Amino acid sequence: MSEGEETAGVKKRRAAVILLLTMVLLGVFPLDVLLPSFPALADHFRTTPADIALSISLFAIGMSLSQLLIGPLSDVIGRKVLLLTGMVVSIIGALGCVMSNEYTWFLMFRLVQAIGCGCFVLAQALVQDLFDGKERDQLRMLMVTASGIFISVSPLAGTVLHHAMDWPGSFIAFIALAAAVFLKACFFLENQRPAAAPSKGMLQSYRMICRDAGFLGYWLIAAIAFTCHFSFIVISPLIFMEQLQLSPYEFSLTLLFYGVAYLFGGVVARVLANRIAPNTQIIVGLGLIFLSGISMLWLSAMLGLSTQTILIPMVVCTAGTTIARPVATSKAMDIFPDNAGTSASAGNTLVFVFGGLVSALINLSASHLQVTLAISFLALSTVGIGVNALISQRHQAMNTG
């Protein structure tokens, strides 16, 4: 390879990473930038902050269900056209939210926005298409770490946007970012089909991958790690702004500190990836989530509810999420490399539906959120460790057999 070709390759990979990270940003931005605007949204639509929190869970479920169609179609007709279509639909949904005066209409357009945002599932398929080996695994770690940083910064951005343009500001910012990604994808991506486009129909493809216990197991572990983080994010306005009476600005700064855990977890994950086996790395991550549940229960019993008794365990939990989730995702995606779109859709649907349902259940226990959150961490991490053990036993049996 000539020096010119090598330079062109580096520039192309750099452009791909920028596009993927921007897709990650847009995937979490609609969820978290609204958090400081919960009280204003509740006042505008004459409802409660708990109903606004429910709209976040509904958004996650709607986005995940749209992925079921987008992923398999991308394996057949290519990623680009579906990404661009999804961006247009998400922009229409965001515009509808800005113009809504009734809570019902707001929920409907949030669902439209969520359906469009389902196109961001293609980020995982594009990683599978454009990168190989350790470079692919490291990029997934970077994406999870970046996701956490974006999640932590989004509420502060939401506070700034809220002060500048009231609650519609976050939707206007989303529209601007989505338009920028639309243009980037137009010029960078080629709408070529995957190298080995599947000949099976959509239902057959889903049936094939969902019969694989290892595939489902690894995605379940990724879903558990995500759910522990997502549940906290959804209920955090209820804890910090309603129960602890923090201002939106104080709440945003609190979540900004929470983002430090993602940086720490990302660094640790990269170190562990070169030193221990993937399944051991998963156990380390889930073990940290279990430890966070124990510490949250203990701190709650000893000191009661406070910013510190929530944040300290959540830093531990988030480090565990950042360590376990990328490797579980990579292990799952590597099982069916020729069906990357279908695999990403099935897995991300499980992740978001699981996260949306669990967060909605936790939201029901409004007066005991801290204890319920801690118990869910203990239960979910225990299930994840058990699933990882079953996968390891299955692989050993297959190798010895």
Side-chain angles (χ1 to χ4, degrees), residues 41-121:
L41 282 163
D43 288 342
H44 179 80
F45 293 114
R46 297 177 294 281
T47 186
T48 65
D51 284 337
I52 303 301
L54 182 63
S55 74
I56 301 291
S57 298
L58 179 66
F59 184 95
I61 293 172
M63 184 167 67
S64 66
L65 292 178
S66 74
Q67 296 171 359
L68 287 173
L69 181 64
I70 291 172
L73 279 177
S74 76
D75 285 335
V76 178
I77 65 176
R79 320 290 187 206
K80 181 177 180 178
V81 64
L82 288 170
L83 177 60
L84 297 180
T85 302
M87 298 304 304
V88 171
V89 172
S90 69
I91 289 172
I92 292 171
L95 284 170
C97 288
V98 171
M99 295 185 290
S100 296
N101 290 316
E102 298 290 336
Y103 179 65
T104 303
W105 282 102
F106 175 75
L107 282 184
M108 187 189 76
F109 280 112
R110 276 292 275 173
L111 190 58
V112 172
Q113 186 187 16
I115 290 170
C117 287
C119 69
F120 298 127
V121 70

Side-chain angles (χ1 to χ4, degrees), residues 194-209:
S199 58
K200 297 181 175 64
M202 186 183 301
L203 292 179
Q204 288 178 304
S205 296
Y206 274 124
R207 190 179 299 118
M208 176 187 70
I209 65 174

Side-chain angles (χ1 to χ4, degrees), residues 161-379:
L161 291 167
H162 181 85
H163 283 301
M165 294 177 280
D166 205 356
W167 65 264
S170 61
F171 291 99
I172 295 170
F174 173 85
I175 292 167
L177 285 170
V181 172
F182 182 92
L183 293 174
K184 177 73 174 176
C186 276
F187 291 106
F188 174 74
L189 289 180
E190 298 177 7
N191 197 47
Q192 59 186 32
R193 298 183 184 187
S199 58
K200 297 181 175 64
M202 186 183 301
L203 292 179
Q204 288 178 304
S205 296
Y206 274 124
R207 190 179 299 118
M208 176 187 70
I209 65 174
C210 289
R211 283 177 176 173
D212 190 284
F215 176 84
L216 291 178
Y218 281 125
W219 269 118
L220 179 58
I221 292 170
I224 285 170
F226 171 80
T227 297
C228 293
H229 142 77
F230 183 71
S231 298
F232 167 72
I233 289 297
V234 169
I235 68 170
S236 60
L238 306 180
I239 292 177
F240 291 116
M241 289 197 288
E242 280 205 347
Q243 296 181 358
L244 294 176
Q245 295 294 302
L246 298 186
S247 69
Y249 180 69
E250 290 171 330
F251 167 64
S252 301
L253 291 181
T254 299
L255 283 195
L256 194 60
F257 173 77
Y258 173 64
V260 174
Y262 270 97
L263 288 173
F264 172 73
V267 171
V268 173
R270 291 175 70 90
V271 173
L272 291 179
N274 296 320
R275 299 190 178 184
I276 62 176
N279 285 74
T280 306
Q281 188 172 336
I282 289 172
I283 292 173
V284 171
L286 294 174
L288 286 174
I289 294 174
F290 187 88
L291 178 62
S292 74
I294 292 177
S295 62
M296 188 176 290
L297 281 178
W298 184 81
L299 289 170
S300 173
M302 297 297 295
L303 302 175
L305 178 64
S306 69
T307 301
Q308 291 77 17
T309 59
I310 290 291
L311 272 187
I312 292 172
M314 283 312 307
V315 167
V316 177
C317 175
T318 304
T321 296
T322 315
I323 291 168
R325 187 180 165 201
V327 66
T329 301
S330 283
K331 294 288 286 184
M333 290 292 294
D334 286 343
I335 294 175
F336 297 103
D338 293 336
N339 296 82
T342 305
S343 298
S345 289
N348 277 280
T349 297
L350 175 62
V351 166
F352 280 99
V353 169
F354 200 75
L357 291 176
V358 171
S359 63
L361 290 174
I362 293 174
N363 187 45
L364 295 176
S365 61
S367 58
H368 302 94
L369 289 174
Q370 186 178 18
V371 172
T372 306
L373 192 65
I375 292 173
S376 69
F377 289 173
L378 294 174

